[in-house]
Amino acid sequence: MQKPNSPSMKTGFIIIIFFILFVPLNAQDVRSVRLEKKAMRRSVFIPGMFSEWKHTGGVNVDSIRVYKAEKTIYYFFNPSTTHIPVRNEWETNLRMRIKQALGKRFNDYTIHLLARNRELEEYIPNAYRETIQNTDKKRTAKSYPGPALVRRLDQPVFRNGLSDHHIAIWPSHGFFFDQQLDRWQWQRARLWQTVEDIFPWSFTSAYLVPMLENSGAVVMLPRERDPQVHEVIVDNDGSTGLSSISTTGSWTSNQYKGFKWADILFSNQNPFLDGTSLSSSSHTSSVTYIPDIPESGDYAVTVSYAKTEACDTGVRYTVHYDGGSETYTVNQCMGTGTWIYLGTFHFRKGQNQRIGSVTLTGSVPGAILSADAVRFGGGMGNVARKPGDEVIAKQRSSVQGVPDVIATPDTSVFNYVLSGKPRWMEGSRYYLQYAGMPDTLVYTLSNGKNDYNDDYMSRPEWVNYLIGPAQAQYSQKYSSGLDIPLDLSLAFHTDAGVSWGDTIIGTLGIYSTTRNEGFFPDGRSKMTSRDLTDLVQTQLVNDIRREINPIWTRRGMWDREYSEAWRPVVPSMLLELLSHQNLADMRMGLDPRFKFIASRAIYKGILRFLATEQGYDAVVQPLPPDHMAVELIGGKQVRISWQPVADSLEPSANAESYRVYVKINDGGFAPGVPTAQKSMVYELPEYNAVYSFRVTAVNKGGESFPSETISAGIRPGDNHPVLIVNGFDRVSAPAFFDKYDMAGIASWQDEGVPYSYDLSFTGSQYDFTRNSEWINDDNQGWGASHANMEASMIQGNTFSNPAVHGKSLLDAGYSFVSVSDEVFESPRFIKAVYPAIDVIFGEERGVKSLLSDSVADFRLFTQDFIKAVQEYTSIGGNLLISGAYVGTDMAENSDSAAIHFASDVLHFSWRTNHATTIGLVQATDAGSSLLPSSFEFNTGWDSPVYRVESPDAIEPSGKGAFRICRYASGSTSAGVAYSGNYRTVILGFPLETITDERQRMEVIGRIMQFLTSQTAIKKL
């Protein structure tokens, strides 16, 4: 069995003498009391043994009891001792030191070390125990035999991963209705440009949940997972827009209750009890759901079905989307009467059954097939709240034609208030009502008087309801639950405290072993919750210390009766990853690199816990491949190649095979094609189309995140494509500043780059004074931030810009292929075959490494890049480079080699950054043949592409160089060109941020014509 590495134990030689809490004599004789005092005097410990756990509370001996007749000594440690991660070597070392200190007098005494009425050995997780014989059998579990609730048919079964495991996770709190203040609001304060109600969501949605699902797990969430604000319902009781249903075979309605859509839900209203569903006794019957998609984009697909007497364990749902189709099996013997997530897919606007539909078919002859609603997208919150909401519900029920009235709300009649937020931002209490959970779980925990309490109590009660009869309950109130065999639950929070200075608050874990005499209903010890907490916290701290910060704080593991810790009837952990209130923590917490590493650590902790509990070897899913390249090999054939990435933290995370994903133009990626090789030959089905490729690595533990996306497009007869180099790799946090009494986020200097996109940004920080005190959540003090950007999608690095440039090249008549910058910089890469190279630098910029302030990641003109360009231009190669920091990066890093390279080879010099806040660019007279007279790039938030907050102004350098455009605001030079033995065009803004497609195509096309044309042009 694979076991994680134990932390090192520090030692020293300063003596600590522990004091006795006097114990009543009772039956103990005077000699025993003397022995206890002697044992205490002789008990010396090494303080270094405890120094690593200085943030967990003091470790002391409360008392010692000596039983002379039994020759036994009991050391009773204080409760704080249980806050530390107990390990075999630590406990053995402690025991040895005690025996040495006691001397020969006590040589034949048995020593017991206890804390909170348990032997210290009991606090060692099974995963860290030295032998299988020492395993606590009450902390093991049988694996679920399957079939799982949901499984994607083309996903391998990861037996060393998380296949057939079911996990419940929730990302903190959410928007809620405060009845006393009579308003919707956050449950926490807006600090450091975010708020805890959505900050953990940025970890779970983008990283943790996909990691678990890539390992085969079924992940359940009590909050909406899809940020898509549009929602399409296709249902037999009525659909939205022009959505429709078609059936084959024989179907019956009204036999079983089902979902019925309503645009507003009031108290005591369960949409899964308001409607009907379809049922069929023939497994050959089918239903096809055809949505009317309001806007092209990505939509989560969730399905519902009713509880039947003879259910089908393998119902097939095939999703047809813009890119291909995926088939899932759903076990309809569990998870009835709620929303079950299949996956997220790209759909085009409108109705198109071939690339926009879901088809349901059965698999088990004789079983009853159930078909209820299918939902596309997350939508907006639709639960109405107001003081006296129960009265409103009665008013509503007395009105004729309620659906018509609701469609045009009359607040004077109903007096309701909706949140006005996308559903994913709301608290669990509201989504769970929409998802069909019973009243006793959703809003009667506080008798309907306190949505805040209902929210945090509903989440763990939801866990128990999902399990339902699958486990014996503390009471019978969930005897009609959903039979989903959940393995564990994780409450993800970031509320771990605050420090005035630069001290990191760090990671806290909370579990509960109280209630029900310390056992779960299935007989397992609740110490499994401590094991889960220990493994996750240990993995987090170890990984963060090795990859990010060597002094990351490990806080305690608390055995407390927090609702989210004690209520679930399965192993559960309440994680406080860091402190969203504390600047030192948030300097890292806002960084996408930290989010990936921390989320991967949580996934690994969960994996190791379940592998230990159920007795199999854990294998960690690989990291994404890199060194991506696509090259033309003739006709319409291209070769895609890549390299695996080793994980220095995980020996098991090696790639064993790969999956190649392809998409055409602006559609979605088709299902992956498996291969054991590190390259694949692919014949493009058509000329004059953009084909994009990304690759994942696969092993017995799961599938990695996707690589960056590279693209190719071939025009007939053109065998000399333009090469696109993707040099935009950066993801990072915004800039920070610290001037002792003033500190915070310097977004005016650098707003950072999210991974793909960020939805946790509330608005810029406005209070930078360290001494500003918190008064209330509306007057937050130091770190207070605006609310103007809530629910806005902040675009980041999608790692897919070659397709954007490539589309413009195809339109201009050029074939193209693309590579990552690592490939381009390799001395083995042949560059001479390309008539021109288009280098994408986007918002690439040197930023401090996570582990060292002296190292800068994401530099532009590295030594390898300089050598590659010099090699290419020396043979007359032509170059286009665009990016927001083409000059700033070398200037702020005082990089003389890069400065000389820019001046002598690229023929430009840097003048300033923050050159404009308005993205209007105007061609100069000299550039009029290269560029349209004017065009715009994006400097705003509301855009499908990232905003350029700080473009560079650059000037020509040397003979043959000239200005080609200026920023309309400020008139500084925005781009330069050079014509000599080779040609270059350098732009101080990223070309992919020109949002008007026609303008972008014209700009890139005319620049490429200049680079590849031999016709002389006029220079000024």
Side-chain angles (χ1 to χ4, degrees), residues 279-356:
S279 60
S280 176
S281 58
S282 172
H283 71 286
T284 61
S285 298
S286 69
V287 179
T288 298
Y289 299 82
I290 309 168
D292 180 17
I293 301 296
E295 183 179 358
S296 296
D298 292 338
Y299 292 76
V301 175
T302 50
V303 302
S304 65
Y305 43 90
K307 188 171 186 177
T308 63
E309 292 82 1
C311 49
D312 189 333
T313 59
V315 177
R316 296 197 171 197
Y317 289 82
T318 300
V319 182
H320 303 276
Y321 62 97
D322 185 14
S325 63
E326 285 278 13
T327 299
Y328 295 78
T329 60
V330 175
N331 184 351
Q332 288 195 349
C333 293
M334 59 176 74
T336 56
T338 190
W339 295 116
I340 302 300
Y341 173 73
L342 299 184
T344 298
F345 307 91
H346 189 272
F347 294 98
R348 287 188 197 173
K349 182 178 180 179
Q351 270 193 303
N352 190 324
Q353 182 174 341
R354 184 180 63 84
I355 58 172

Side-chain angles (χ1 to χ4, degrees), residues 856-1000:
D857 293 335
F858 309 119
R859 292 294 313 281
L860 279 74
F861 301 149
T862 63
Q863 290 183 0
D864 289 339
F865 181 84
I866 290 173
K867 289 179 182 178
V869 170
Q870 287 175 332
E871 174 192 334
Y872 180 64
T873 55
S874 68
I875 59 173
N878 305 300
L879 204 65
L880 164 62
I881 296 178
S882 65
Y885 303 111
V886 292
T888 294
D889 178 67
M890 60 187 185
E892 65 187 3
N893 285 282
S894 301
D895 189 338
S896 59
I899 293 170
H900 286 301
F901 164 71
S903 176
D904 300 341
V905 178
L906 301 181
H907 293 281
F908 82 95
S909 63
W910 178 70
R911 187 159 184 89
T912 186
N913 57 10
H914 297 277
T916 184
T917 59
I918 301 170
L920 181 61
V921 178
Q922 296 173 333
T924 62
D925 289 344
S928 60
S929 61
L930 278 80
L931 299 171
S933 60
S934 66
F935 55 92
E936 289 185 77
F937 63 90
N938 178 51
T939 58
W941 294 109
D942 188 17
S943 173
V945 67
Y946 64 92
R947 103 185 189 102
V948 183
E949 71 269 26
S950 179
D952 271 357
I954 57 177
E955 291 289 345
S957 175
K959 184 179 179 181
F962 54 98
R963 298 177 194 87
I964 59 173
C965 56
R966 296 183 182 276
Y967 298 112
S969 172
S971 297
T972 51
S973 175
V976 302
Y978 165 77
S979 182
N981 295 332
Y982 57 90
R983 294 181 176 184
T984 64
V985 172
I986 315 297
L987 300 174
F989 57 91
L991 280 168
E992 63 272 13
T993 62
I994 301 175
T995 53
D996 184 287
E997 187 171 79
R998 294 312 311 170
Q999 283 188 343
R1000 184 173 66 247

Side-chain angles (χ1 to χ4, degrees), residues 60 204 229 303 455 458 465 522 553 565 817 888 905 973 986 1010:
N60 295 300
T204 59
V229 295
V303 302
D455 187 50
S458 68
Y465 182 76
D522 66 356
T553 304
V817 293
T888 294
V905 178
S973 175
I986 315 297
F1010 161 74

Side-chain angles (χ1 to χ4, degrees), residues 174-188:
F175 217 55
F176 85 109
F177 186 76
D178 188 315
Q179 296 194 18
Q180 289 186 343
L181 294 178
D182 188 18
R183 69 175 187 182
W184 287 82
Q185 64 178 40
W186 295 120
Q187 297 182 40
R188 295 294 184 265

Side-chain angles (χ1 to χ4, degrees), residues 224 226-233 292-300 375-380 422-423:
E224 174 60 55
D226 188 6
Q228 173 61 255
V229 295
H230 297 295
E231 179 183 45
V232 178
I233 299 293
D292 180 17
I293 301 296
E295 183 179 358
S296 296
D298 292 338
Y299 292 76
R375 186 168 69 108
F376 300 79
M380 301 293 289
R423 187 175 283 120

Side-chain angles (χ1 to χ4, degrees), residues 476-554:
Q476 295 302 312
K477 63 179 179 177
Y478 300 137
S479 60
S480 60
L482 301 188
D483 274 315
I484 300 174
L486 290 179
D487 291 285
L488 59 87
S489 70
L490 176 74
F492 193 135
H493 296 276
T494 56
D495 195 2
V498 66
S499 167
W500 188 88
D502 292 325
T503 302
I504 293 171
I505 300 298
T507 302
L508 170 69
I510 301 173
Y511 65 98
S512 178
T513 62
T514 59
R515 311 238 179 165
N516 203 36
E517 299 180 345
F519 291 92
F520 291 118
D522 66 356
R524 276 182 296 172
S525 168
K526 286 195 170 185
M527 288 295 285
T528 55
S529 290
R530 179 186 166 88
D531 287 2
L532 171 63
T533 303
D534 195 343
L535 265 65
V536 169
Q537 189 190 44
T538 297
Q539 193 75 62
L540 271 165
V541 174
N542 287 352
D543 287 5
I544 292 172
R545 286 178 178 176
R546 288 183 62 179
E547 294 288 297
I548 301 172
N549 189 319
I551 58 171
W552 185 263
T553 304
R554 177 165 190 158

Side-chain angles (χ1 to χ4, degrees), residues 376-390:
F376 300 79
M380 301 293 289
N382 67 334
V383 175
R385 298 300 289 158
K386 197 72 174 176
D389 196 42
E390 283 68 28

Side-chain angles (χ1 to χ4, degrees), residues 90-130:
W90 179 85
E91 192 270 345
T92 301
N93 195 15
L94 176 60
R95 189 180 298 276
M96 179 188 69
R97 297 292 181 180
I98 291 174
K99 289 187 75 70
Q100 288 177 346
L102 289 174
K104 296 181 180 179
R105 175 70 179 273
F106 296 95
N107 263 357
D108 56 349
Y109 277 69
T110 300
I111 297 173
H112 291 274
L113 311 178
L114 295 94
R116 294 187 66 175
N117 299 318
R118 293 182 188 271
E119 295 273 0
L120 285 185
E121 294 97 322
E122 292 187 53
Y123 293 99
I124 303 174
N126 277 343
Y128 292 105
R129 300 199 178 198
E130 292 178 337

